[in-house]
Amino acid sequence: MSKPSTAERPPVDLTRRPSIEELRAVIHPEGMLQRRSAEHWAGRLYMRKISLRITRILSTVTVITPNGLTYLMMLTGILAGIALVVPGLAGAVLGALLIQVYLLLDCVDGEVARWRRQTSLTGVYLDRVGHYMSEAALLTGLGLRAADLLHREGDHAAWQWAFLGTLAALGAILIKSETDLVDVARARSGMTAVEDEASVPRSNAVAKARRAASLLKFHRLVGAVEASLFILAAGIADAVRGDLFFTRLAVVVLAAIAMLQTVLHLLSIVLSSRLR
C-alpha cells in the first residue's frame, strides 16, 4: 500500500510523540537527502540522524515554534562569530561547537515545521537571513580574532586582519545573494523557480571550468561548517606554534576564496539558463 500524501495525512496529534518511522516519512521525504544542491554534506552524513531524534522530542513541545527555532539558530550562528574573539584554542573550539549547534537547529526548525504543518514564507525568509547573518558573523569574528582584538600578542590590534575578515564576510553574503536573486528576478518576470538543470552553463568552456571548480570544492570553505573547521585547524596549529600565524593565513585564504567565488559564481549564473 502506498504511503498517504501530506495532504491525506490525518490531523497532527501534538499530545502523542510519533515513532521514528512515522516522523521520518514526513520530515525526510523520499529524495530529500539525496538532493546535493539542497542538503549539506554534514546533514547527509550525520546531522539529520541527530536532528530526527531532537525533532521527535520537540514534536509535542508546542511552546517551541519552528520560527522560534530559526531565531535560536540565528543567535547561535552569531555567537559562534563572537566566540572566535576569545584568545587561544578555546575560542576556535567554542566557535566550531556553536556552528554544529547552528547546523542542528537549521535542520530541526524545518523538520518541526513539516511535522506540524507550520511551514510558511516567513520561515523560509528567516532561514535565509539566518544563513547570511551567521556566515558573516563567523568570518567577521575570524578577522577580529586575527587582529588580536584582546591584545594577546601586543598592545595594539592589527586592524588590517579585521578588514580582510570583513571582506570575506561580504563575499560570503554576495555569493548567497547571487543565488537567491535568481529566483527574485524570475518571480518578478512571472517565471517559476529555477530547476537544477538550468545551472549548467551554456558555454562548454565555462561548463568545464565549473566542473573543475566543483571537484576541488574550494568554494565550500566560506560556508559556516567548513569555515569553522578550517578555523579550528588553524587554531590548533597556532596553539602549537604559539602565535596567530595560521589564523591570519586562514583569513587571507578565506577572503581570497570569497572574492574569487563572488566573481566566478556571478559569471556562472549569467552564462547559464537560470535567467532565461
Side-chain angles (χ1 to χ4, degrees), residues 8-261:
E8 298 170 338
R9 279 176 57 204
V12 179
D13 182 1
L14 298 180
T15 64
R16 182 185 67 86
R17 185 169 293 176
S19 68
I20 290 293
E21 291 72 22
E22 286 179 294
L23 199 59
R24 185 183 285 115
V26 174
I27 68 173
H28 295 168
E30 187 175 354
M32 188 191 84
L33 300 186
Q34 286 69 47
R35 290 180 299 170
R36 295 187 178 275
S37 61
E39 184 65 27
H40 193 276
W41 61 265
R44 292 192 303 273
L45 185 62
Y46 62 90
M47 193 57 79
R48 287 292 182 182
K49 298 179 180 66
I50 301 171
S51 68
L52 180 66
R53 284 150 179 82
I54 301 298
T55 298
R56 182 169 180 261
I57 295 171
L58 295 178
S59 63
T60 56
V61 185
T62 55
V63 70
I64 300 176
T65 65
N67 287 351
L69 290 166
T70 305
Y71 283 120
L72 187 57
M73 178 198 79
M74 287 185 197
L75 177 61
T76 305
I78 293 170
L79 288 176
I82 295 172
L84 292 181
V85 179
V86 176
L89 184 57
V93 171
L94 184 56
L97 288 176
L98 284 169
I99 287 298
Q100 290 300 308
V101 177
Y102 154 86
L103 178 60
L104 174 61
L105 291 168
D106 189 29
C107 294
V108 169
D109 62 355
E111 292 175 355
V112 170
R114 286 192 291 277
W115 175 253
R116 296 185 190 171
R117 301 179 191 173
Q118 293 176 341
T119 56
S120 65
L121 286 176
T122 301
V124 174
Y125 176 78
L126 290 175
D127 185 73
R128 296 306 299 168
V129 170
H131 292 170
Y132 280 53
M133 294 175 63
S134 299
E135 292 188 7
L138 187 72
L139 294 170
T140 302
L142 171 62
L144 293 173
R145 177 180 177 83
D148 193 22
L149 189 65
L150 298 183
H151 310 312
R152 181 188 178 194
E153 293 191 349
D155 296 330
H156 303 286
W159 291 108
Q160 67 270 24
W161 301 108
F163 170 76
L164 282 178
T166 304
L167 201 63
L170 175 62
I173 291 174
L174 286 174
I175 293 165
K176 288 188 175 299
S177 298
E178 289 168 355
T179 299
D180 290 343
L181 287 174
V182 170
D183 285 338
V184 172
R186 291 176 66 91
R188 290 189 175 183
S189 299
M191 300 172 69
T192 58
V194 69
E195 299 291 337
D196 288 344
E197 294 76 10
S199 64
V200 179
R202 298 188 302 275
S203 165
N204 287 334
V206 175
K208 289 178 181 178
R210 186 176 183 272
R211 284 195 295 271
S214 180
L215 287 173
L216 293 173
K217 300 188 186 304
F218 71 91
H219 59 286
R220 286 188 172 180
L221 276 179
V222 294
V225 175
E226 292 83 353
S228 69
L229 296 176
F230 190 53
I231 294 166
L232 176 59
I236 293 171
D238 283 343
V240 174
R241 183 182 167 97
D243 57 18
L244 289 169
F245 173 81
F246 286 102
T247 291
R248 288 171 174 172
L249 179 61
V251 175
V252 173
V253 169
L254 293 180
I257 289 174
M259 289 296 100
L260 178 62
Q261 182 65 9

